[in-house]
Amino acid sequence: SNQVTVVGAGLAGSEAAWQIARQGVKVRLYEMRPVVKTAAHISGNFAELVCSNSLRGASLSNAVGLLKEEMRRLDSVIMASADKTCVPAGGALAVDRDLFSQEVTERVTGHPMIEVVREEIGEIPSDGIVVIATGPLTSLSLSRSIANLTGEEYLYFYDAAAPIVHKESIDFDKVYIASRYDKGEAAYINCPMTEKEFDRFYEALIAAEAAPLKEFEKEVYFEGCMPIEVMAKRGRQTLLFGPMKPVGLPDPRTGKIPFAVVQLRQDNAAATLYNIVGFQTHLKWGEQARVFRMIPGLEKAEFARFGVMHRNTYINSPRVLKQTYQLQSRETLFFAGQITGVEGYVESAAAGLIAGINAGRVARGLDPLVFPRDTAIGALAYYITHAAPDNFQPMNATFGLLPSLGEKIRDKRLKNEKISERALASLTEFMDTSLDQSVRAR
Ligand code: FAD
């Protein structure tokens, strides 16, 4: 049968190659390291973890824990390698980073259907079945080639994201729904502040601790997206005339315009997630939680993801990608990993897993598959291809992406476990009915 080319042997590319090879389809896997380096990787190993050695939460009351369990059932090489090289880490799955990436390298390189080529790919191959999995630090020439294909405006080089909170954690007694000047449907959640509340918040914001900037990330501010804390340091007025301006937003309960307003905008179609408008930030995550919970209504906010600002090459998946990880305009071209706008090691590998299964299927003359939306892996694929395209930001696995349960369960842990139970049942059924024998996990 047809051969598939995979570019990049990171978390996503290694997984994709594995999933293609298990179908009996030949893979040529290109990895530029160690010949060409990136600004973050230090070795020549596959699936190198560039920062933390944690693959995050292990339990099924945690969305990334569910995602990992789904991947295990789908015979993920990343999960098998992680489970084999794990180190004690409480409720998380952490690994010995060297043993882990060595393990992935050995398994992938050792697969008889996979040929590894240590070479940089400068341009998207013009024909054949191809998976691009070159990650947030995709080399420049390939980035240019991707931009040519997707259109310049649909390829991003930086991720400057505002925090996203779960709607159910917002205190609706303190906020109100309105759009500025009453325009259109009332769409925003508005958190009003008195002058005293603003002053307290302001002082905390300018004193909060930012995450250190990597050398290769320093350019980020020149892209026209300034972190909220940097803006704040220019003076109170910058905020009051910027992201916190109250004009046109009278509080319906008083009829008065508050001193300042923080707005939240709907982030997913199910309206379970809201982002804080204009609050892209480089503060440490703990500091974000502390300072942003000073905003009236957000005292108990739970964050689906914190704000980040870093170098991150990714495409506007809602505009250009299908839920099967195929490019809309060229169905033999797949994207996988962080470059599709998923965020995180496990999420990147999960994207590689679906892209790999589907690339292998296309090579075998079969239809690609859409994974069920009530699984974590399927929900992530759905999110990145259906999120609001104008404000598309990379996303972690979180329960907010899965359809809610029919019943109301108070206890959060219990509720999450039920969602996981439903997801795993759905995955089993999907594997039985849609995956043929060669792809079902043993
Ligand atoms: P990668 O793992 O980066 O794999 C891409 C591969 O493609 C690399 O091996 C690269 O050498 C290769 N490549 C690139 N261009 C070419 C080319 N033209 N030809 C051939 N090969 C090429 N996520 C977390 O969950 N936890 C963290 O702590 C974390 N920290 C991060 C820190 C930094 C500095 C960055 C940039 C990201 C971090 N991430 C983290 C986000 C993300 O999970 C990782 O970047 C993850 O490695 C992404 O997986 P990937 O497979 O998409 O890309």
Side-chain angles (χ1 to χ4, degrees):
S1 59
N2 256 321
Q3 166 172 305
V4 179
T5 301
V6 177
V7 187
L11 278 300
S14 300
E15 187 66 57
W18 181 258
Q19 294 290 338
I20 297 162
R22 346 184 1 242
Q23 300 175 58
V25 175
K26 272 196 185 148
V27 182
R28 182 171 285 171
L29 174 58
Y30 287 92
E31 170 53 58
M32 67 179 186
R33 292 177 293 117
V35 189
V36 180
K37 295 184 173 25
T38 80
H41 294 82
I42 53 171
S43 79
N45 283 334
F46 294 177
E48 181 181 323
L49 305 177
V50 286
C51 182
S52 158
N53 69 327
S54 171
L55 307 192
R56 318 207 313 279
S59 91
L60 288 178
S61 61
N62 182 301
V64 79
L66 170 63
L67 181 60
K68 286 195 285 284
E69 181 55 27
E70 292 173 1
M71 293 171 67
R72 282 188 188 99
R73 296 183 183 200
L74 290 158
D75 192 27
S76 155
V77 70
I78 293 297
M79 286 314 303
S81 306
D83 287 336
K84 190 172 169 194
T85 57
C86 67
V87 297
L93 175 65
V95 299
D96 176 310
R97 67 176 73 239
D98 294 327
L99 293 181
F100 166 73
S101 52
Q102 273 163 30
E103 183 71 27
V104 176
T105 310
E106 275 162 29
R107 287 185 191 226
V108 171
T109 310
H111 198 294
M113 298 304 281
I114 301 176
E115 178 200 352
V116 174
V117 186
R118 298 277 186 172
E119 207 174 278
E120 178 186 359
I121 295 290
E123 246 173 77
I124 297 177
S126 55
D127 53 12
I129 304 168
V130 177
V131 180
I132 303 291
T134 44
L137 308 173
T138 294
S139 70
L140 262 183
S141 56
L142 187 65
S143 299
R144 254 181 243 125
S145 171
I146 295 169
N148 284 338
L149 197 70
T150 59
E152 294 281 344
E153 69 275 32
Y154 296 142
L155 180 72
Y156 306 110
F157 293 98
Y158 298 102
D159 185 5
I164 296 176
V165 303
H166 288 276
K167 184 186 182 189
E168 60 178 21
S169 67
I170 298 171
D171 182 350
F172 275 85
D173 291 338
K174 300 209 170 138
V175 302
Y176 58 98
I177 313 273
S179 289
R180 205 178 295 277
Y181 300 119
D182 242 345
K183 273 197 200 133
E185 215 183 312
Y188 289 82
I189 295 174
N190 299 283
C191 309
M193 280 188 187
T194 62
E195 183 166 2
K196 226 168 146 194
E197 284 166 338
F198 176 83
D199 285 341
R200 271 188 63 225
F201 173 76
Y202 180 79
E203 293 304 323
L205 182 60
I206 56 173
E209 193 183 347
L213 267 187
K214 302 229 166 50
E215 193 54 43
F216 63 98
E217 292 176 336
K218 286 193 179 148
E219 331 130 71
V220 62
Y221 299 162
F222 296 102
E223 287 286 298
C225 45
M226 198 187 289
I228 188 82
E229 65 277 11
V230 174
M231 209 184 283
K233 282 178 190 154
R234 299 195 164 179
R236 294 165 87 233
Q237 298 302 325
T238 319
L239 289 187
L240 288 168
F241 286 95
M244 294 181 68
K245 66 171 180 274
V247 55
L249 286 171
D251 186 335
R253 293 162 300 190
T254 61
K256 295 213 174 80
I257 297 201
F259 185 76
V261 172
V262 174
Q263 290 200 297
L264 288 89
R265 184 196 292 129
Q266 184 175 335
D267 196 74
N268 62 341
T272 50
L273 303 174
Y274 277 73
N275 65 67
I276 314 183
V277 181
F279 271 52
Q280 61 270 14
T281 174
H282 200 256
L283 294 181
K284 287 189 164 173
W285 290 4
E287 291 287 87
Q288 291 186 37
R290 182 177 66 80
V291 176
F292 298 151
R293 282 184 185 136
M294 293 171 71
I295 297 169
L298 301 189
E299 292 85 354
K300 296 197 169 127
E302 280 175 35
F303 294 88
R305 71 166 276 179
F306 286 105
V308 291
M309 300 195 77
H310 55 205
R311 169 93 154 77
N312 194 9
T313 314
Y314 67 102
I315 57 175
N316 189 322
S317 289
R319 287 257 196 255
V320 303
L321 206 65
K322 293 180 153 202
Q323 216 174 324
T324 50
Y325 289 94
Q326 290 165 290
L327 197 69
Q328 285 172 15
S329 59
R330 181 175 149 193
E331 294 191 340
T332 51
L333 182 59
F334 292 78
F335 281 83
Q338 188 99 358
I339 200 165
T340 65
V342 300
E343 168 86 28
Y345 298 147
V346 184
E347 289 85 344
S348 294
L353 194 153
I354 296 187
I357 287 184
N358 283 337
R361 287 179 66 88
V362 170
R364 294 189 297 144
L366 301 173
D367 285 336
L369 297 172
V370 170
F371 278 59
R373 256 198 82 187
D374 54 4
T375 60
I377 194 167
L380 198 57
Y382 181 87
Y383 178 85
I384 61 156
T385 50
H386 292 78
D390 293 340
N391 183 36
F392 181 56
Q393 298 291 349
M395 192 53 161
N396 279 139
T398 147
F399 281 118
L401 303 184
L402 281 83
S404 46
L405 292 170
E407 52 187 321
K408 189 113 189 125
I409 299 175
R410 278 270 170 100
D411 184 83
K412 199 177 135 203
R413 189 182 181 90
L414 199 67
K415 184 172 91 183
N416 291 344
E417 282 168 2
K418 284 252 181 200
I419 296 177
S420 289
E421 217 173 273
R422 181 187 64 182
L424 293 175
S426 172
L427 182 69
T428 304
E429 197 199 314
F430 172 76
M431 289 172 70
D432 288 345
T433 54
S434 303
L435 289 187
D436 52 289
Q437 206 56 52
S438 68
V439 192
R440 262 178 238 164
R442 287 143 308 184

